[in-house]
Amino acid sequence: KPEFEVLDKDAINHKIARHMGRKMVVVGACIETDAHTVGIDAIMNMKGFNGHKGLESYHEIHAVNMGAQVDSEALVARAIEIKADVILVSQVVTQKNIHLDNLTRLSDLLEAEGLRQQIILIVGGPRISHELAKELGYDAGFGPGCHAENVASFAIEEWIRRNAL
């Protein structure tokens, strides 16, 4: 797993306000043929999952959940339109490892747009590891048992690290 301190919702909101001075903009989706929204909804939606509220409930985060079967080009276009700080992708493991091609393609699209270093790219799913995510060009990967506070804590820490220069 990526190394960072998991903060509670109030601490995350405070840290975003103090360091960014504006809301963090996060866009999330299940890409390409992936129709399994349970994971992205658990992280993004207001109600969250298992007592852990989703990013929509964080006062200092503007969360946009694009849902399922979103083309990578559409996700990148939306990220550009709303000036996203973070892109979240939820992917289940697919037949013939198509999810690996999908995830690589998204990272490559961001690179081609010259945005890869500007946007924090995070992937999650039942068989996603941090190591796999890094191999595919992502900043972090989260597997089962992670909640919105894990993702938000990583995102603000990574944003601070990138903008401390």
Side-chain angles (χ1 to χ4, degrees):
K1 290 186 178 184
E3 303 251 340
F4 62 97
E5 179 184 2
V6 179
L7 304 172
D8 67 20
K9 182 177 164 183
D10 289 337
I12 292 165
N13 280 323
H14 178 73
K15 200 166 203 175
I16 292 170
R18 188 178 55 172
H19 289 279
M20 295 184 78
R22 61 175 174 80
K23 287 188 176 192
M24 176 180 275
V25 180
V26 179
V27 61
C30 299
I31 57 173
E32 305 305 335
T33 58
D34 193 339
H36 301 87
T37 61
V38 171
I40 198 71
D41 289 344
I43 300 299
M44 299 286 290
N45 288 358
M46 178 76 69
K47 67 181 178 178
F49 175 75
N50 199 22
H52 298 264
K53 296 288 188 183
L55 298 179
E56 289 177 349
S57 73
Y58 287 61
H59 298 295
E60 295 298 328
I61 294 179
H62 173 65
V64 177
N65 185 349
M66 292 182 67
Q69 297 181 319
V70 176
D71 292 331
S72 292
E73 292 88 354
L75 179 55
V76 170
R78 184 74 169 148
I80 292 168
E81 176 189 335
I82 65 173
K83 297 179 174 75
D85 299 296
V86 181
I87 293 177
L88 302 180
V89 177
S90 178
Q91 281 282 269
V92 296
V93 175
T94 57
Q95 293 179 353
K96 298 184 181 181
N97 288 327
I98 297 299
H99 65 288
L100 299 177
D101 295 338
N102 292 343
L103 293 170
T104 301
R105 187 163 170 270
L106 177 61
S107 180
D108 290 347
L109 281 171
L110 283 174
E111 191 72 44
E113 290 287 338
L115 297 172
R116 184 57 200 92
Q117 296 309 313
Q118 296 170 21
I119 296 177
I120 299 165
L121 189 55
I122 300 172
V123 60
R127 299 261 169 86
I128 300 294
S129 69
H130 182 59
E131 294 76 24
L132 175 62
K134 295 295 279 183
E135 287 176 25
L136 298 175
Y138 286 65
D139 296 303
F142 293 95
C146 291
H147 302 284
E149 59 269 22
N150 299 90
V151 173
S153 293
F154 174 81
I156 187 56
E157 285 301 319
E158 180 65 13
W159 190 93
I160 291 168
R161 186 190 68 75
R162 289 183 183 193
N163 290 280
L165 307 175

